[in-house]
Amino acid sequence: MQIILDTESTGKLWYKDKLLLVGVLILDTGEIKQYWHDSPNIGDLRTMLLAPGSEIICHNVKYDILVLRRNGFSVNNSFLGWCTLVLSSLLDNRGSHALKDLALSLKLEDKVTTLKELIGSGKNKLDIDKIDRKKLEEYNAQDLILTGKLFNYLLQQPAWETIKKRWLKIEEPFLKNLIEIEWKGILIDNSVKEELKKKFLEEQEKNRVILKEQLGEININSPKQLVAYFFKNREAIRRTEKGNISINEEVLKDLSKEDSAAARIIELRKAHKIVKTYIGNIDAYLDCDRIHPNFIQHSDISEGAGTGRISCSRPNTENIPEHSQAREIRRIFTARPGNVFLAGDYSQIELRFLAHFSKDPALLDAFKRDKDLHELTAIDLFESEHPNDLERFVGKTFNFAVGFGAGVDTILSALKKNLSSEDFAKFSYERIRELISRYWKTYRRLREWTFEIRSLLKAKGYVETICGRRRYIDDIDSGWAWRAAVDTIPQGSAADLLKLATTKVLDNPEIQGRNLVHDSLVVEIPENRVGDLGFFVKKTMMGAMKLDVPIRVKVKYGKTFMDV
């Protein structure tokens, strides 16, 4: 039996918000049944959800199942069902995939009632649990009907069989694991969190006191006042598009070499960001002693990655810095007693996919012989048998930028961000152009492949990953579109690989998923099983897909995210 299901709750956080209403639409009969959280017949819903052979169709099945589970409902888990949010983004990744937006853009309905229209805005905005029950029932019924129309629309598309095959093979099994990862969450060490908060707040205050002595009553958050102070007797280092003197972070870094006040402003802002952005986000989404990051599987104009890579929000556990003083934040995320984290990280996987797709002889040879690709690139760029650290770094930058379609400006920007002023001064615009020319002489077949992808994009309007996920790209004659197409194929294929590997790894009942970060899977395992399970994870991730080059995985263990 196929049933459309939609929940109404007081917010987007399933672990904090109150479940109000559950609506179901029986697809065969068109009958709508609605159950309030305090309905005497709520047991009927439990029976329906656990019925053998029941298939749930939701527009955001992950959220609906999590909020139901939080409120004591179980779902028949042999087959998760269908998520029209993910399915619609597989059909066409462009635009908004919010249910009401799709209903209008696909002409499933001429008019819909939005949440804003239901609860109002500004001073007249009401909490959804204060809305008249009859109105909320009508709103819920509309969502059920729209989800049914959207699912029927998807069934009628020529690409449906392809989308269905991908859903059953990759996306649905992976979504089951995402639900479990989010449900169990990541344990937070509140004592470490408070210790770090105290440390960085004290650091902020110390820098404020010293800056007050140095700058007097100058407001360090006022660009105008900072420009007046630092450039009273100095020439402008950089100007804005409007011609005003710039005082951005890069300018402050230049000034810090000769003025300690600029250095302190940078340190103050770093400490402020750590407290507000990183620790503040953990506090905002804390559920007692853990967080439940929201992993985004679909592509959307407002969230999700166009390439198909998994992204994260509420809070974002992908963007915690690996370097600098903010790295300490990683100590907050801890394994349960008796367990450790294990991180499996695909090594240079997007470059390996570039080699696989382009068949470039130099790339294939480097990976097959397990050579240092960045060093080999540096040897060719700088015509040096033994490249130094700077030259190898430039080689690495070129591999991850030029190989994916980036030009001179992008390279210069990346080098400026990561090199000292002295080292950056060695690379002029013309020098980078010359090095790009040398790069393409080494990787000729890769360059040819990028032009083939441009032609493919022009002919079809989309590109595909190794497992057939399409990304439609607009403005196909623009440089951005070309770079997006070239970037999507290896990055989206790496996402396909990680999804398949995650499903296979988490089939092992001793292993619990905790986090996904770009090309890495973080799991939690018993400490006394590190050897066997570490070998299993590495072997499983490496064997999840067969390429023309070896797949390599680096494995790390530790009690906190900082260790892995």
Side-chain angles (χ1 to χ4, degrees):
M1 176 176 65
Q2 288 186 321
I3 58 172
I4 311 289
L5 184 144
D6 184 59
T7 61
E8 306 300 339
S9 60
T10 55
K12 296 181 179 180
L13 305 179
W14 57 265
Y15 50 90
K16 286 188 176 184
D17 298 315
K18 180 181 177 183
L19 178 64
L20 301 174
L21 175 67
V22 182
V24 296
L25 186 157
I26 313 300
L27 211 56
D28 289 342
T29 64
E31 181 185 6
I32 290 177
K33 298 182 178 182
Q34 292 172 312
Y35 305 88
W36 285 92
H37 63 93
D38 54 1
S39 294
N41 62 341
I42 197 77
D44 295 348
L45 175 62
R46 287 190 168 87
T47 302
M48 189 185 304
L49 294 177
L50 287 171
S54 63
E55 288 185 12
I56 294 175
I57 302 165
C58 305
H59 191 63
N60 187 351
V61 72
K62 177 161 65 71
Y63 176 83
D64 287 331
I65 285 181
L66 284 167
V67 77
L68 284 169
R69 188 190 285 190
R70 183 75 165 195
N71 285 271
F73 293 89
S74 297
V75 177
N76 179 13
N77 204 34
S78 59
F79 174 61
L80 188 62
W82 307 91
C83 180
T84 53
L85 177 63
V86 177
L87 292 167
S88 64
S89 72
L90 292 176
L91 177 67
D92 190 337
N93 56 281
R94 295 169 294 185
S96 168
H97 289 267
L99 181 60
K100 306 296 170 56
D101 292 337
L102 283 171
L104 295 174
S105 65
L106 298 176
K107 296 180 170 51
L108 304 177
E109 283 288 348
D110 295 328
K111 191 178 186 312
V112 296
T113 300
T114 65
L115 180 62
K116 187 177 179 180
E117 290 170 336
L118 178 70
I119 63 176
S121 60
K123 293 180 180 179
N124 298 319
K125 184 177 179 180
L126 296 173
D127 292 333
I128 195 167
D129 56 350
K130 302 295 191 297
I131 296 293
D132 177 75
R133 286 195 169 195
K134 185 67 177 175
K135 287 185 177 180
L136 193 56
E137 287 174 357
E138 291 172 355
Y139 180 82
N140 176 256
Q142 174 191 243
D143 283 358
L144 292 169
I145 293 167
L146 290 178
T147 303
K149 287 185 175 183
L150 176 57
F151 187 63
N152 187 55
Y153 172 86
L154 292 168
L155 292 177
Q156 295 175 23
Q157 299 309 301
W160 170 249
E161 287 303 320
T162 302
I163 293 170
K164 176 183 174 182
K165 184 178 178 182
R166 181 182 174 94
W167 172 257
L168 296 175
K169 180 182 178 182
I170 300 176
E171 304 294 347
E172 191 265 352
F174 178 69
L175 182 52
K176 281 183 181 177
N177 285 306
L178 280 189
I179 288 171
E180 294 305 314
I181 291 171
E182 290 190 26
W183 174 257
K184 290 166 185 171
I186 305 168
L187 189 63
I188 297 299
D189 190 325
N190 280 305
S191 62
V192 173
K193 176 172 67 69
E194 293 306 312
E195 167 204 323
L196 291 177
K197 185 188 292 186
K198 182 173 181 284
K199 172 186 172 181
F200 289 114
L201 284 172
E202 287 175 350
E203 190 172 310
Q204 283 185 70
E205 188 56 31
K206 182 185 77 174
N207 282 314
R208 279 197 189 95
V209 170
I210 296 173
L211 282 168
K212 190 170 181 64
E213 292 174 357
Q214 291 179 299
L215 306 181
E217 296 302 318
I218 289 176
N219 179 0
I220 61 170
N221 295 315
S222 167
K224 185 177 180 180
Q225 291 184 36
L226 289 179
V227 165
Y229 172 81
F230 285 113
F231 295 101
K232 185 177 181 180
N233 298 308
R234 287 188 181 98
E235 289 293 320
I237 297 174
R238 196 170 290 106
R239 290 186 178 273
T240 66
E241 291 182 1
K242 293 183 178 180
N244 299 321
I245 297 175
S246 174
I247 191 69
N248 62 18
E249 188 173 344
E250 289 182 3
V251 172
L252 284 171
K253 282 181 181 177
D254 288 338
L255 291 170
S256 67
K257 295 167 189 172
E258 55 186 75
D259 195 317
S260 63
R264 290 208 175 274
I265 291 172
I266 293 172
E267 292 307 308
L268 174 63
R269 289 178 178 176
K270 283 180 180 177
H272 176 74
K273 183 176 181 179
I274 290 170
V275 173
K276 184 176 180 181
T277 303
Y278 301 122
I279 299 178
N281 264 339
I282 293 171
D283 283 336
Y285 298 107
L286 193 62
D287 178 25
C288 296
D289 61 351
R290 68 196 65 205
I291 56 168
H292 306 273
N294 172 45
F295 293 98
I296 302 164
Q297 188 176 1
H298 65 283
S299 298
D300 190 283
I301 194 170
S302 61
E303 62 180 0
T307 59
R309 175 186 270 178
I310 295 297
S311 57
C312 184
S313 67
R314 303 194 301 264
N316 185 352
T317 52
E318 292 181 335
N319 72 345
I320 305 166
E322 292 185 42
H323 308 290
S324 79
Q325 60 193 139
R327 187 171 187 269
E328 280 196 86
I329 298 299
R330 292 169 173 259
R331 289 201 290 123
I332 295 173
F333 307 96
T334 183
R336 289 155 176 76
N339 288 354
V340 293
F341 289 128
L342 182 154
D345 181 26
Y346 281 111
S347 175
Q348 299 178 343
I349 191 62
E350 291 173 20
L351 289 170
R352 292 175 192 270
F353 272 110
L354 269 190
H356 173 82
F357 283 112
S358 69
K359 312 298 184 204
D360 185 276
L363 285 176
L364 291 171
D365 181 66
F367 285 124
K368 286 178 179 178
R369 293 192 297 129
D370 268 336
K371 293 295 183 180
D372 183 338
L373 178 65
H374 304 322
E375 184 177 275
L376 292 177
T377 298
I379 288 170
D380 290 331
L381 289 181
F382 297 99
E383 300 176 334
S384 168
E385 288 187 19
H386 304 287
N388 58 34
D389 289 345
L390 171 62
E391 290 167 339
R392 185 187 179 282
F393 177 79
V394 174
K396 179 179 179 179
T397 303
F398 271 60
N399 284 330
F400 283 110
V402 179
F404 291 84
V408 178
D409 291 335
T410 302
I411 297 292
L412 282 171
S413 177
L415 294 180
K416 185 171 185 177
K417 184 178 179 181
N418 292 284
L419 299 182
S420 66
S421 298
E422 182 182 350
D423 284 337
F424 179 68
K426 299 173 184 176
F427 299 98
S428 64
Y429 192 93
E430 288 303 318
R431 175 66 168 152
I432 297 298
R433 283 187 63 183
E434 176 193 345
L435 292 177
I436 289 177
S437 179
R438 287 185 188 177
Y439 184 89
W440 288 130
K441 284 180 182 178
T442 300
Y443 303 110
R444 291 177 186 272
R445 175 61 198 137
L446 175 60
R447 181 162 175 76
E448 290 172 2
W449 178 77
T450 64
F451 279 99
E452 290 168 8
I453 296 306
R454 176 186 277 186
S455 298
L456 184 70
L457 179 63
K458 285 188 174 184
K460 295 186 173 182
Y462 65 84
V463 291
E464 290 184 321
T465 67
I466 196 166
C467 291
R469 182 188 181 278
R470 291 181 182 180
R471 182 185 185 184
Y472 287 87
I473 300 173
D474 293 324
D475 303 320
I476 58 175
D477 291 320
S478 67
W480 173 87
W482 182 28
R483 289 191 298 274
V486 171
D487 189 48
T488 293
I489 296 173
Q491 191 179 114
S493 297
D496 288 346
L497 172 61
L498 187 62
K499 288 176 180 179
L500 290 169
T502 297
T503 298
K504 291 181 179 181
V505 167
L506 297 183
D507 275 346
N508 188 319
E510 291 187 88
I511 300 174
Q512 297 182 37
R514 288 293 176 262
N515 200 25
L516 293 151
V517 185
H518 303 315
D519 303 323
S520 302
L521 170 63
V522 181
V523 299
E524 190 171 328
I525 60 173
E527 194 167 10
N528 61 2
R529 298 278 285 132
V530 162
D532 291 345
L533 292 179
F535 176 78
F536 169 78
V537 169
K538 186 171 185 175
K539 182 181 178 182
T540 303
M541 290 181 70
M542 288 171 60
M545 195 178 280
K546 191 77 174 172
L547 302 182
D548 290 343
V549 295
I551 294 175
R552 295 286 180 257
V553 174
K554 297 175 183 176
V555 172
K556 290 183 179 180
Y557 312 90
K559 290 295 291 184
T560 73
F561 276 11
M562 190 168 181
D563 302 319
V564 299

